[in-house]
Amino acid sequence: MNILDKITLDKRREVALRKNLIPISQLEQSVLFERQTISLAHNLRHSSSGIIAEHKRRSPSKSVINNSLNIQDVAKGYEDAGVCGMSVLTDGKYFGGSLDDLLTARASCRLPLLRKEFIIDEYQLLEAKAYGADVILLIATILSRDEIKQFSEFAKSLHLDVLLEVHNEEELHKSIMPSLDMLGVNNRSLKTFEVSLETSKQLSSIIPEDFVKVSESGISHINAIKALKPYGYQGFLIGENFMKTDNPGASATEFIKGLL
């Protein structure tokens, strides 16, 4: 069992518990449930930087990244930096995040917010909507084609953008469908945790132009973005590079200045 299998197993248990604690009717009564969402895909299509900046306290591959920051300050800093959107890790056990982080970020900025989570149940999409997310992440390697279709279509009914993440050509072919907005290529191997931008380059030609192409992981320098833009990538998810500094917002500001 690899780390993703362990996370998914734990997530199924966690979601089952949450469903017992908080009924769907309670989520639907959230003051945020009826808010008009902001499209990350639209922002990426009309941006010269394409940066999606992440809030991430720790990860299974890197252990603690930064536990000392206030997410309110991070969100405001990213917005001031001019990023296209913000990714918020809501997994607690492996990444140190929570739905409260999403709620705080929503109250602190007007950026489109991606709930970065291991989605295995429609209930999590209702949570995302209730806690102020605009975008959800679906990970192809842990979902069947039918699940991707089910979850992405349900997300669209909630007016949420959908970012589908793949690691290889097989996952990409099983995942392409009209209910997706963005196709993300994760450059990190799930088996070795090694990162290579070649993954994004190799898959770029088989991603239909209908979708916004997003490259994820291993983007720590503006040269990486400059190398990927000719392959049609409009979005770049950056997590650890900003979060490992004392001021992620200032770090993002300098990064974007260098890029433009």
Side-chain angles (χ1 to χ4, degrees), residues 9-19 91-92 117:
L9 185 63
D10 284 337
K11 191 59 58 180
R12 292 191 186 281
R13 293 170 180 153
E14 176 192 321
V15 172
L17 179 63
R18 293 183 71 87
K19 286 169 85 170
D91 174 78
E117 182 56 271

Side-chain angles (χ1 to χ4, degrees), residues 137-250:
L137 174 73
L138 298 179
I139 303 174
T141 194
I142 65 172
L143 300 171
S144 67
R145 179 175 176 82
D146 286 344
E147 286 173 325
I148 293 168
K149 185 175 188 294
Q150 175 192 347
F151 297 156
S152 58
E153 289 180 352
F154 187 57
K156 299 313 294 178
S157 76
L158 296 172
H159 306 289
L160 297 169
D161 271 7
V162 181
L163 170 61
L164 189 284
E165 175 183 297
V166 301
H167 295 83
N168 54 48
E169 188 172 342
E170 181 185 359
E171 291 177 5
L172 181 58
H173 284 309
K174 86 168 183 182
S175 306
I176 293 174
M177 58 189 70
S179 45
L180 308 176
D181 301 286
M182 297 160 281
L183 274 164
V185 178
N186 195 326
N187 301 304
R188 189 186 306 280
S189 166
L190 293 174
K191 295 179 180 177
T192 65
F193 287 124
E194 291 178 3
V195 174
S196 172
L197 296 183
E198 291 304 310
T199 307
S200 283
K201 293 177 182 179
Q202 289 165 6
L203 294 183
S204 64
S205 62
I206 53 176
I207 298 176
E209 294 303 317
D210 313 27
F211 307 106
V212 177
K213 298 180 189 178
V214 179
S215 187
E216 309 169 20
S217 297
I219 301 169
S220 57
H221 197 274
I222 58 173
N223 287 341
I225 292 178
K226 289 178 178 178
L228 289 169
K229 279 195 170 182
Y231 290 85
Y233 285 91
Q234 295 173 288
F236 308 93
L237 183 63
I238 301 178
E240 294 167 10
N241 194 56
F242 300 148
M243 282 300 296
K244 66 186 180 184
T245 68
D246 292 332
N247 189 331

Side-chain angles (χ1 to χ4, degrees), residues 88-155:
V88 181
L89 261 297
T90 59
D91 174 78
K93 182 172 181 178
Y94 295 92
F95 290 87
S98 71
L99 279 164
D100 284 342
D101 286 339
L102 189 59
L103 204 59
T104 303
R106 177 74 288 145
S108 307
C109 71
R110 294 179 57 81
L111 293 168
L113 298 180
L114 165 67
R115 182 186 185 188
K116 188 85 173 287
E117 182 56 271
F118 301 87
I119 302 289
I120 46 85
D121 193 293
E122 283 188 357
Y123 180 84
Q124 293 164 286
L125 307 185
L126 293 167
E127 284 183 324
K129 180 78 170 177
Y131 281 80
D134 304 277
V135 195
I136 56 108
L137 174 73
L138 298 179
I139 303 174
T141 194
I142 65 172
L143 300 171
S144 67
R145 179 175 176 82
D146 286 344
E147 286 173 325
I148 293 168
K149 185 175 188 294
Q150 175 192 347
F151 297 156
S152 58
E153 289 180 352
F154 187 57

Side-chain angles (χ1 to χ4, degrees), residues 10-36:
D10 284 337
K11 191 59 58 180
R12 292 191 186 281
R13 293 170 180 153
E14 176 192 321
V15 172
L17 179 63
R18 293 183 71 87
K19 286 169 85 170
N20 283 330
L21 291 173
I22 304 174
I24 287 173
S25 58
Q26 187 173 327
L27 293 175
E28 292 175 337
Q29 289 164 15
S30 160
V31 293
L32 293 173
F33 205 84
E34 298 302 323
R35 64 174 280 273
Q36 186 172 351

Side-chain angles (χ1 to χ4, degrees), residues 73-94:
D73 296 334
V74 175
K76 286 180 177 177
Y78 282 158
E79 185 171 39
D80 290 343
V83 304
C84 290
M86 179 176 176
S87 168
V88 181
L89 261 297
T90 59
D91 174 78
K93 182 172 181 178
Y94 295 92

